[in-house]
Amino acid sequence: MTAAKPTLGLSLLAGNVRSVAASAKIAEDNGFGTAWTSEFYNRSATITLASMAHETSSLRVGSGIAYAVGRSPVVLAAEARDLDEISDGRLVLGLGTGTRRMMEDWHGVDPSGPATRLEELIPLLRKLWKLHEANVDHDGRFYHLKLKATADVGVPLRTDIPVWTAGVNPRMVETAGRVSDGFLGHPLFSVKYLQEIVHPEIAKGAAKRDRSPDDVELSTVVITSVHDDPEEARRRAKGQLAFYSAPKTYDYVLEVNGFQAEAQAIRAAFAEGDHDAMLAAVTDDMVDAMTLSGTAAEVTEKLRRYDGVLDHLIIYPPSFKLSADEEQETRENLLALGKTLAAQG
């Protein structure tokens, strides 16, 4: 059963390592419960998380996401152990595989069976966090590991570091129900997608492992754009929607949401390198269904649609096709929104 009113987190992607960490501190001071960072080909989630952990003292810090396929299980387990230690037990290890092309072209791994890969990896990480109790001998489909400690292994701060997994299509969502402590939804998710796809698939996965769906903390990232001019807020949100709608990877989400025609138009404009046409193809219905956009008062009201749907909501400031000043303003507006919501209780 999800929370009556989800707690609030903030996704921090734009900026350098120091500015992201500074924003995490402000988020903590303004009442957010979590701060999240991600990684790409030019940014490490774990390094940024370390900086965020150093600058904060109470909010949970999470990777949303770190690439599970880009590290060996031993390296990933050790990094998570260190991050949990320096954050005094505040780490949420959010993992994902990325798209098939990213797995193959960026990380050089077999792109088949991403869900099965995560279902093998996560229990293995949990064994590695208990290396002080037993050696690890694993021979699986994706991972082959024989680790016998040759020196004393200290007991980690936590052997049960929470692992959340990201997913888009049903099989990847089901993975969270099978093995994860939490689920991280995609910025293109609508309430409709959460209710019709995510909830049933989490329950399906949990049933296959004799777990309760309540064992999985449900969250999603929502593109959130706050501005005194509601039309400006919507314009900024449209850019981020266009960015995420361009890859064919997300066709299923857009189809469930009823935006196949818009996706085709966005993709055609993207192929031509026409960013203005990409934004023009994003309809008002898309903005209404998949973002929180408007004045602070309007966004506060729209947040209610996630009551009883999620345990945790991660708001995400748009950045695509925005100037550096616009990015900063958008981020500051979300930080201010968190302070207002915290004051309201």
Side-chain angles (χ1 to χ4, degrees), residues 217-288:
E217 192 169 350
L218 296 185
S219 73
T220 198
V221 176
V222 181
I223 297 166
T224 307
S225 182
V226 175
H227 197 279
D228 290 340
D229 180 352
E231 289 307 310
E232 176 62 16
R234 295 173 71 86
R235 180 190 72 82
R236 297 181 183 188
K238 283 184 176 183
Q240 208 64 38
L241 277 179
F243 173 81
Y244 280 117
S245 299
K248 290 190 67 175
T249 302
Y250 305 119
D251 274 356
Y252 183 80
V253 180
L254 292 162
E255 180 180 349
V256 171
N257 288 327
F259 300 126
Q260 306 97 309
E262 290 89 338
Q264 291 174 3
I266 292 167
R267 192 171 301 120
F270 176 73
E272 296 295 325
D274 190 341
H275 291 165
D276 290 338
M278 287 175 65
L279 270 66
V282 177
T283 62
D284 287 336
D285 286 345
M286 292 179 73
V287 176
D288 290 337

Side-chain angles (χ1 to χ4, degrees), residues 81-330:
R81 176 178 168 140
D82 286 350
L83 286 167
D84 200 49
E85 179 181 324
I86 64 175
S87 67
D88 297 318
R90 293 182 287 122
L91 175 67
V92 179
L93 182 62
L95 298 177
T97 61
T99 65
R100 290 178 61 89
R101 177 168 291 182
M102 292 161 72
M103 291 176 67
E104 189 168 26
D105 293 349
W106 293 13
H107 300 291
V109 300
D110 179 1
S112 64
T116 306
R117 177 185 285 273
L118 284 179
E119 288 163 13
E120 182 180 340
L121 173 63
I122 293 170
L124 183 53
L125 292 176
R126 292 174 177 145
K127 289 181 180 178
L128 288 166
W129 291 327
K130 294 183 178 181
L131 185 61
H132 60 287
E133 297 179 356
N135 297 327
V136 178
D137 189 345
H138 177 85
D139 188 20
R141 173 180 172 184
F142 297 102
Y143 300 106
H144 309 277
L145 176 62
K146 294 182 183 294
L147 182 55
K148 181 178 181 179
T150 56
D152 290 340
V153 180
V155 180
L157 184 64
R158 290 190 294 176
T159 59
D160 58 350
I161 297 169
V163 183
W164 294 18
T165 53
V168 175
N169 293 331
R171 180 64 182 86
M172 288 296 289
V173 178
E174 185 189 327
T175 291
R178 294 190 187 201
V179 298
S180 306
D181 300 298
F183 173 74
L184 287 162
H186 191 273
L188 290 181
F189 284 6
S190 61
V191 170
K192 173 183 173 69
Y193 196 87
L194 290 165
Q195 292 176 327
E196 295 184 5
I197 304 299
V198 173
H199 284 202
E201 292 299 329
I202 293 289
K204 178 181 175 182
K208 289 184 176 179
R209 297 295 173 90
D210 294 324
R211 306 175 72 203
S212 167
D214 294 342
D215 294 337
V216 184
E217 192 169 350
L218 296 185
S219 73
T220 198
V221 176
V222 181
I223 297 166
T224 307
S225 182
V226 175
H227 197 279
D228 290 340
D229 180 352
E231 289 307 310
E232 176 62 16
R234 295 173 71 86
R235 180 190 72 82
R236 297 181 183 188
K238 283 184 176 183
Q240 208 64 38
L241 277 179
F243 173 81
Y244 280 117
S245 299
K248 290 190 67 175
T249 302
Y250 305 119
D251 274 356
Y252 183 80
V253 180
L254 292 162
E255 180 180 349
V256 171
N257 288 327
F259 300 126
Q260 306 97 309
E262 290 89 338
Q264 291 174 3
I266 292 167
R267 192 171 301 120
F270 176 73
E272 296 295 325
D274 190 341
H275 291 165
D276 290 338
M278 287 175 65
L279 270 66
V282 177
T283 62
D284 287 336
D285 286 345
M286 292 179 73
V287 176
D288 290 337
M290 293 188 289
T291 78
L292 295 167
S293 302
T295 65
E298 289 171 340
V299 170
T300 299
E301 178 64 27
K302 291 174 182 179
L303 280 166
R304 295 181 181 179
R305 70 193 191 203
Y306 294 97
D307 291 356
V309 179
L310 294 171
D311 297 299
H312 190 62
L313 179 67
I314 304 168
I315 60 176
Y316 168 32
S319 59
F320 184 70
K321 298 302 293 179
L322 299 186
S323 68
D325 288 344
E326 288 173 332
E327 280 188 25
Q328 181 177 346
E329 180 187 45
T330 301

